[in-house]
Amino acid sequence: MGTILPPAMSAAAFAAAMAAMVAEIGQDWVLTSEEDLIPFHDTYGFTATDIHQPAGAIAPADIEQLRGVLRIANEHRLPLWPISRGKNYGYGGAAPCMPGTVVLDLGRMRRISDVDVARGVVVVEPGVGFFDLYDFLEREKIPLWASMPGNSLGSVLGNALEYGLGYGPQGDRASSLVGVEVMLPDGALIRTGMGAMAGSPCWNLFPYSYGPSWDRLFMQSNFGVVTRAGIWLTPEPEEVLSLSMELPQESDIGWVVEALAPLCLRGVIQGPVNIGNFMRIVMGSGRRAEWADGKHAIPDARHADIMADFKLGWWGLHLSFYGEPDLNRARAKVVSDQIARHTSQRFTTSRWQRGEPRPQAPSHGVPISFPLRIANWISPHGGHLGFSPVLPPDRQAIEQQISRSRALFRQHDFDFYGGVTLGQRHVNVVNMLAYDRGDAEMTSRADQLFRALMEDARARGFGEYRSHLSYMDDVAQTYDFGGHALGRLNSWMKDAIDPNGILAPGKQGIWPRSMRETRP
Ligand code: ADP
C-alpha cells in the first residue's frame, strides 16, 4: 500500500473503497503500491515524495466504467483527482492538490473521432496526447494542423482545460476547445452547447449555447470529469512565413509589446506571439557549470558573453504567418514596418511551402519535448515551478513587471527565465523557477521567491491565470473583488453539483463544504 490515506478515512474504509473499485474495473487498473504510484507524484515537486501524494490511482477504460467509479466514490466519500495525461509540469504534474486524493487517470480513454476536415475540427478523449494527434493527422493524411505547446508530452484536452498556450493560429487553446462532454459527480453525462441536442451536427462548431454557456465552467474547475471535447484545428496552410529577431536589451520588451499589441488586436497577427528571454535556450543546454558556482545564479556580468556564445539577444521574437502567400507577405510587411519604427534591425525570414518536409517545430504543428530539459538546469534531480501573471499589453506595465521580477529573482539567487505571450488584448507572462529537488534550502528559497512574485503582482493589480497545486488557495485569495464574491459563487456551485465533495478538492482554491473550514 501507499504511505498515505485520504483525510478522514480509516485504512479499512479506504481498503473497502478500493476493493469496490477493483470489482468495478479490474485489479490491473486500481493502483496502490508505492512503486505503482511513482508516476502520480509531482515530478517537479520540492521533494521526491512531495506533500501532494496520492493514496492511489484508478484508470477506467470507458464512460461506463467511469460512471461506476464515480458511484463508488460517492458511496465511500473517496476523493478523486481527474487527469488526462498528467504532464502538467511546473503546475503539479499528475499529482492531486489534497494529499491522499486518488488520481483518476483518464489516459486509457484515447479515441480521436468526428474528424471534420472541411470545418477543421476533431473530437478527442482525455488520453489523446499532442504526439497522438500529430501522428493521427499525418498517418491519415488529414490536411489539418494542431496547435502545439512548448512541452507537447501532455494531452490536448487537459492542456486546453488549463487554458494552455501554444503556437499557431489556434494557440489560445481554451478558445479552441468547443463543445464539451462531461460526466457530473452523480454520473450524469452532459454535452454542452449545441451538443445538448441529440444528433446535432453543430456541437463542435458553435462555441455558445441556447441559454448559459457551460463549457468554461468545466475548465480549471472541479465540477465534472470531461470525457470528450471538440478541438479546432488549422487547415494546412499553403505557406508559413516566419520572422525572427533577437533583441539585445532587457528593456526592449516594452516597445515590442507596445508595437505588436495593435496588430494582434486588428488581426494582422494570427494567434499568440511568443517572446522569450535567452535563458529559455541556455537553461536547456546543460552548460551551467561553465558560468556559475554551485547552485548560485549566473552573475549578470556573464550574460553578454553567454548571449554572444549562443548568438541570442536578451529576447527572441518569433512570428509566423499562415496561409495564402500574398496575405502572408502583406501581414509580414505591416509587422516589419511597425517594428522598423523602433529599431534599425531587420527580421530574418524563412518560408515553408506546402509539399516540403515540415520543420520539427511547434510553430509548424509538430510536437516537441526538448524544452523540458530546463528542469535539469540546476541538477539532474531538478524541477521547475511556473509563475504566470496576466497583464495588459501596455509598455510600462510589462517593463515594470520584468524588471521587478528580475530584481526578485536576483534577490533570491535564481536565474531568470522569462516568457511573454501576447494575446489579442492581454499578455501572459510565464516565469520558470528552476531548482534542485530535495535541496531544502533551495526549495525553500524557491517558495519564498514564488510568494514574493505573487504578492508583488497582486499589489499592482495582476493575478495569475494558472497555478501550481501548492499555491492554489493563495492565488484564489488574490481574487478578492466584493469580499471574494467569486470564491463564494464557486463554493456554492461546488456544493450543489458535488455534494459529497468527491472531485478534486482544493482545485483552484475550490473546496467542498466538509473541508472548507478545516482544510486537510
Ligand atoms: P496534460 O497531461 O495535458 O498536461 P493533465 O492531465 O496534467 O494535463 O491535466 C491538468 C489538470 O487539468 C489536471 O490536474 C486536472 O486538474 C485538470 N484536468 C485534466 N483532465 C481533466 C478532465 N478530463 N476532466 C476534468 N479535469 C481535468
Side-chain angles (χ1 to χ4, degrees):
M1 291 290 265
T3 53
I4 190 162
L5 291 169
M9 230 181 173
S10 67
F14 178 62
M18 295 309 259
M21 293 293 181
V22 169
E24 186 71 25
I25 68 169
Q27 183 79 61
D28 286 352
W29 304 105
V30 179
L31 311 174
T32 50
S33 78
E34 257 178 73
E35 196 179 8
D36 282 339
L37 294 183
I38 290 171
F40 301 99
H41 287 152
D42 178 4
T43 316
Y44 294 166
F46 283 166
T47 56
T49 46
D50 192 62
I51 48 167
H52 303 286
Q53 274 191 71
I58 296 172
D62 55 29
I63 292 284
E64 282 320 309
Q65 287 197 357
L66 174 63
R67 189 172 277 123
V69 165
L70 294 180
R71 177 179 42 75
I72 294 164
N74 272 301
E75 283 165 10
H76 293 260
R77 304 287 194 272
L78 183 74
L80 300 173
W81 181 269
I83 59 162
S84 288
R85 295 205 65 78
K87 310 296 181 196
N88 195 18
Y89 297 134
Y91 298 102
C97 179
M98 181 179 77
T101 306
V102 171
V103 177
L104 176 57
D105 181 349
L106 302 162
R108 293 172 72 201
M109 297 167 63
R110 209 173 167 184
R111 275 178 311 177
I112 300 172
S113 63
D114 304 79
V115 183
D116 184 341
V117 178
R119 324 274 171 231
V121 183
V122 289
V123 171
V124 293
E125 290 187 337
V128 176
F130 289 98
F131 280 91
D132 297 327
L133 183 54
Y134 170 79
D135 288 345
F136 171 80
L137 296 171
E138 285 289 286
R139 193 174 58 242
E140 303 293 325
K141 299 196 177 357
I142 295 167
L144 296 172
W145 287 10
S147 166
M148 292 292 157
N151 155 28
S152 314
L153 286 187
S155 70
V156 179
L157 196 151
N159 189 278
L161 290 179
E162 288 292 297
Y163 314 136
L165 299 167
Y167 294 81
Q170 300 295 345
D172 174 1
R173 234 181 291 290
S175 64
S176 304
L177 183 125
V178 172
V180 169
E181 182 183 89
V182 59
M183 191 170 283
L184 301 186
D186 68 359
L189 194 68
I190 309 289
R191 285 192 180 180
T192 61
M194 295 290 111
M197 177 186 282
S200 167
C202 299
W203 178 32
N204 310 111
L205 304 182
F206 181 62
Y208 312 116
S209 279
Y210 178 71
S213 295
W214 279 76
D215 293 41
R216 295 203 177 178
L217 282 183
F218 297 108
M219 296 183 179
Q220 277 198 14
S221 95
N222 51 12
F223 300 154
V225 180
V226 179
T227 51
R228 304 172 82 192
I231 300 287
W232 286 1
L233 305 176
T234 303
E236 183 188 46
E238 292 81 357
E239 179 199 73
V240 180
L241 180 60
S242 303
L243 305 182
S244 296
M245 186 181 285
E246 293 295 326
L247 299 155
Q249 305 296 334
E250 180 186 338
S251 58
D252 286 331
I253 193 67
W255 69 255
V256 171
V257 166
E258 188 176 74
L260 296 182
L263 306 185
C264 292
L265 179 67
R266 288 192 279 138
V268 175
I269 295 173
Q270 303 153 296
V273 181
N274 298 285
I275 310 167
N277 84 333
F278 65 99
M279 284 303 289
R280 80 198 185 288
I281 309 286
V282 176
M283 283 168 78
S285 70
R287 294 174 51 191
R288 189 166 188 286
E290 294 175 38
W291 310 295
D293 294 329
K295 292 175 188 168
H296 294 291
I298 298 174
D300 283 8
R302 306 292 322 259
H303 286 173
D305 288 346
I306 296 171
M307 287 190 274
D309 186 346
F310 282 79
K311 298 189 173 50
L312 295 170
W314 224 94
W315 299 101
L317 169 62
H318 304 280
L319 287 159
S320 290
F321 304 101
Y322 301 82
E324 298 278 351
D326 287 347
L327 282 174
N328 286 349
R329 255 184 296 283
R331 291 178 196 276
K333 180 169 185 325
V334 176
V335 172
S336 302
D337 289 351
Q338 178 84 329
I339 291 290
R341 291 185 194 171
H342 300 268
T343 174
S344 56
Q345 251 182 278
R346 293 285 167 264
F347 279 114
T348 310
T349 307
S350 64
R351 254 173 99 215
W352 171 89
Q353 285 176 290
R354 189 185 283 164
E356 291 175 358
R358 265 198 266 176
Q360 300 296 298
S363 55
H364 291 63
V366 180
I368 54 166
S369 58
F370 68 83
L372 285 173
R373 284 197 306 222
I374 66 160
N376 291 341
W377 174 236
I378 303 288
S379 98
H381 310 290
H384 66 70
L385 178 65
F387 168 69
S388 319
V390 179
L391 274 73
D394 172 77
R395 177 174 189 157
Q396 212 189 5
I398 300 292
E399 279 174 1
Q400 281 180 5
Q401 179 66 30
I402 297 299
S403 76
R404 294 175 77 92
S405 297
R406 270 264 283 156
L408 287 170
F409 270 71
R410 229 182 257 120
Q411 191 185 323
H412 291 81
D413 200 13
F414 281 92
D415 291 311
F416 180 75
Y417 172 119
V420 167
T421 305
L422 186 55
Q424 241 184 340
R425 290 175 172 79
H426 73 276
V427 169
N428 292 91
V429 177
V430 176
N431 297 136
M432 292 290 189
L433 292 62
Y435 44 82
D436 182 359
R437 305 179 67 204
D439 178 336
E441 186 279 325
M442 189 167 208
T443 54
S444 146
R445 248 189 307 122
D447 174 67
Q448 286 161 22
L449 171 55
F450 183 89
R451 291 180 186 283
L453 288 164
M454 182 177 64
E455 278 156 27
D456 185 67
R458 171 64 194 97
R460 297 166 61 231
F462 306 138
E464 285 198 273
Y465 85 99
R466 194 172 183 182
S467 117
H468 184 274
L469 303 169
S470 292
Y471 305 100
M472 283 185 168
D473 280 336
D474 299 295
V475 175
Q477 281 303 310
T478 66
Y479 289 89
D480 53 6
F481 172 82
H484 301 96
L486 183 66
R488 281 198 299 281
L489 174 62
N490 286 337
S491 297
W492 178 87
M493 181 72 187
K494 180 69 180 163
D495 294 340
I497 208 162
D498 182 13
N500 295 323
I502 57 161
L503 276 191
K507 171 125 180 103
Q508 252 61 36
I510 307 171
W511 292 89
R513 195 199 312 269
S514 60
M515 301 174 189
R516 213 167 288 146
E517 300 309 324
T518 51
R519 280 171 198 167

